[in-house]
Amino acid sequence: MNKTVVNSWNEWDPLRHVIVGRADNCHIPPEEPALDAKVPEDSDMRGQWGKRPQETIDRANELLDTFAAQLQARGIRVDRPVPIDHSQPVTTPDFHTGSQFGCMPPRDVLLTVGPEILEATMSYRCRWFEYLNYRPLLQRYWEEDPNFRHEAAPKPRLTDADYHPDYLSEKIGVEKRLKWAEEKHFVTTEEEPLFDAADVLRFGRDLVVQHGFTTNLKGIEWLRRHFPDHRVHAVNFPGDPYPIHIDATFTPLRPGLILNNPQRRLPKDQRGMFEKNGWEIVDAAQPAHNAPPPLCYSSVWLSMNVLVLDPKTVCVEKSEVYQAEQMDKLGMEVVEVELRDAYAFGGGLHCCTADVYREGGCEDYFP
Ligand code: NVA
């Protein structure tokens, strides 16, 4: 067979093939350094772990199935992962943790760049084996597409040397967290390269990568060496006390237009490439909710975690009315998708998907 199955260079070209996660058997993992640093101090998740309540798993799966069917009805091929048993512990020669996380969200694990899907190192111990949920799909793409490059970044050791101990105290306080974020002092050290795929945004020849809790500078350097034909840019969003995953902070909608979280604005000295090339960075609308749903790791800013279907069409969560209104004003057709009851499983519409194929090639948007 000689067909191209895997091809996606950016976040907005017409989407033709995507992976949508599953909530089956998802767990709240036991305490571990990088995960604890991300759980907000007032969160209902502190001190809890174990399998998520079955009724929440069923509800999340119902929503994910409906989302998958909505995409299929628009002619998009949708594949689903094959869940491994997330109740199993993770034991390596270097660490042990009591359970895994789940096969949500795929965006955290898989980074698609052109004909390549790269499995990220990951930075949480409970997510060390998460790539196995996607291996049946990646093997199939490998059989179907002779040009598909299946790559895996070096598995990290994730010993205690990977984490700063001052982040492990019970009460740090938001003020100190913000100061640390400003100083680029994050929970992960520079012991070895670490990155989660959801810290990376693809803009054709340019990759924009958030340096924070889940991606360190060595992880960004690893990406730079791995993609020698790309320009790789490290960015920070100092207003975020829990900086993981870029996709509720900075959301490109089409060439020339990006939404930015107004509480986590890109600093002036990091805006050069966008300004020089006439890109507009606009504040995202306020979220419709004051708090995340129960047992959720993410912030209310999942409102801006949208999935762009093409430069004129975007999926927005159904209850996020202000975000939908803003999209409309920006000239986008809005596809409403109900997903809020699945947020607790690891995120919103962008998180719960991973690109396989978008039309188009590798453009240089920042010449
Ligand atoms: N940093 C994120 C995770 C988003 C997917 C948050 O706002 O919770």
Side-chain angles (χ1 to χ4, degrees):
M1 245 186 301
N2 235 341
K3 67 172 181 180
T4 302
V5 175
V6 179
N7 179 70
S8 178
W9 295 97
N10 58 47
E11 308 290 331
W12 55 78
D13 269 344
L15 182 69
R16 297 285 173 240
H17 184 179
V18 73
I19 297 171
V20 172
R22 282 189 195 279
D24 305 49
N25 192 28
C26 276
H27 277 63
I28 298 174
E31 293 182 356
E32 61 161 291
L35 184 66
D36 284 8
K38 157 65 185 157
V39 179
E41 289 176 23
D42 55 356
S43 167
D44 58 350
M45 306 194 71
R46 290 244 157 193
Q48 304 222 37
W49 69 282
K51 191 178 168 204
R52 286 182 178 267
Q54 190 58 43
E55 63 279 11
T56 66
I57 291 178
D58 294 343
R59 171 68 177 148
N61 268 337
E62 184 190 323
L63 294 176
L64 290 163
D65 292 351
T66 307
F67 179 33
Q70 266 180 291
L71 294 171
Q72 279 165 332
R74 303 181 75 94
I76 296 168
R77 174 175 161 189
V78 178
D79 287 334
R80 312 298 298 277
V82 181
I84 57 170
D85 178 2
H86 312 303
S87 69
Q88 288 191 334
V90 181
T91 304
T92 74
D94 294 305
F95 69 82
H96 169 84
T97 188
S99 89
Q100 303 183 42
F101 191 89
C103 61
M104 265 286 281
R107 188 76 63 177
D108 295 1
V109 185
L110 303 177
L111 175 64
T112 309
V113 177
E116 169 170 337
I117 298 183
L118 170 66
E119 295 165 6
T121 67
M122 307 309 285
S123 49
Y124 296 172
R125 293 169 177 167
C126 60
R127 305 191 78 179
W128 208 85
F129 281 123
E130 206 163 303
Y131 65 96
L132 291 175
N133 295 286
Y134 304 100
R135 279 289 170 93
L137 291 178
L138 299 189
Q139 272 169 332
R140 201 203 307 160
Y141 305 156
W142 200 82
E143 304 283 347
E144 289 177 0
D145 178 352
N147 295 315
F148 169 46
R149 290 168 56 90
H150 178 184
E151 297 275 359
K155 291 308 286 175
R157 298 192 69 160
L158 300 185
T159 66
D160 288 347
D162 275 303
Y163 309 106
H164 283 121
D166 49 3
Y167 262 101
L168 306 183
S169 106
E170 273 286 295
K171 286 269 167 224
I172 297 168
V174 170
E175 212 171 298
K176 190 182 264 181
R177 284 174 183 274
L178 286 170
K179 185 170 169 282
W180 283 350
E182 179 86 45
E183 293 163 356
K184 301 182 194 171
H185 171 63
F186 303 117
V187 64
T188 39
T189 65
E190 292 296 336
E191 176 70 10
E192 58 183 339
L194 297 176
F195 68 95
D196 281 10
D199 281 315
V200 185
L201 290 172
R202 302 152 311 138
F203 293 75
R205 266 203 69 188
D206 294 82
L207 300 173
V208 171
V209 190
Q210 171 171 237
H211 171 212
F213 284 3
T214 38
T215 294
N216 62 11
L217 290 173
K218 280 195 176 148
I220 297 173
E221 177 58 20
W222 190 90
L223 287 164
R224 196 170 277 131
R225 294 186 198 184
H226 183 72
F227 293 114
D229 297 331
H230 279 73
R231 292 173 295 234
V232 176
H233 311 268
V235 289
N236 299 94
F237 299 93
D240 186 358
Y242 304 96
I244 77 159
H245 304 166
I246 195 167
D247 50 353
T249 298
F250 208 58
T251 303
L253 295 179
R254 59 184 184 232
L257 182 63
I258 304 172
L259 291 186
N260 192 185
N261 185 318
Q263 290 179 359
R264 311 171 185 169
R265 291 202 178 99
L266 185 67
K268 281 206 171 8
D269 62 348
Q270 296 181 26
R271 289 177 175 239
M273 67 185 263
F274 300 106
E275 284 172 354
K276 265 189 243 136
N277 290 281
W279 283 57
E280 216 186 332
I281 301 178
V282 299
D283 280 356
Q286 285 300 308
H289 305 273
N290 295 325
L295 299 180
C296 181
Y297 290 104
S298 309
S299 71
V300 291
W301 290 100
L302 289 182
S303 53
M304 56 184 291
N305 188 265
V306 298
L307 181 69
V308 176
L309 298 186
D310 64 55
K312 291 191 165 139
T313 316
V314 62
C315 295
V316 178
E317 207 286 324
K318 195 169 171 210
S319 66
E320 295 295 348
V321 287
Y322 307 124
Q323 191 53 80
E325 191 180 65
Q326 180 184 33
M327 293 296 186
D328 185 57
K329 287 196 182 126
L330 290 168
M332 307 283 288
E333 184 204 326
V334 172
V335 178
E336 285 183 356
V337 179
E338 196 177 355
L339 200 78
R340 187 167 159 84
D341 292 343
Y343 278 5
F345 292 79
L349 295 161
H350 191 256
C351 298
C352 79
T353 55
D355 285 22
V356 181
Y357 192 98
R358 287 184 190 263
E359 286 176 10
C362 183
E363 304 283 329
D364 187 349
Y365 299 97
F366 304 99

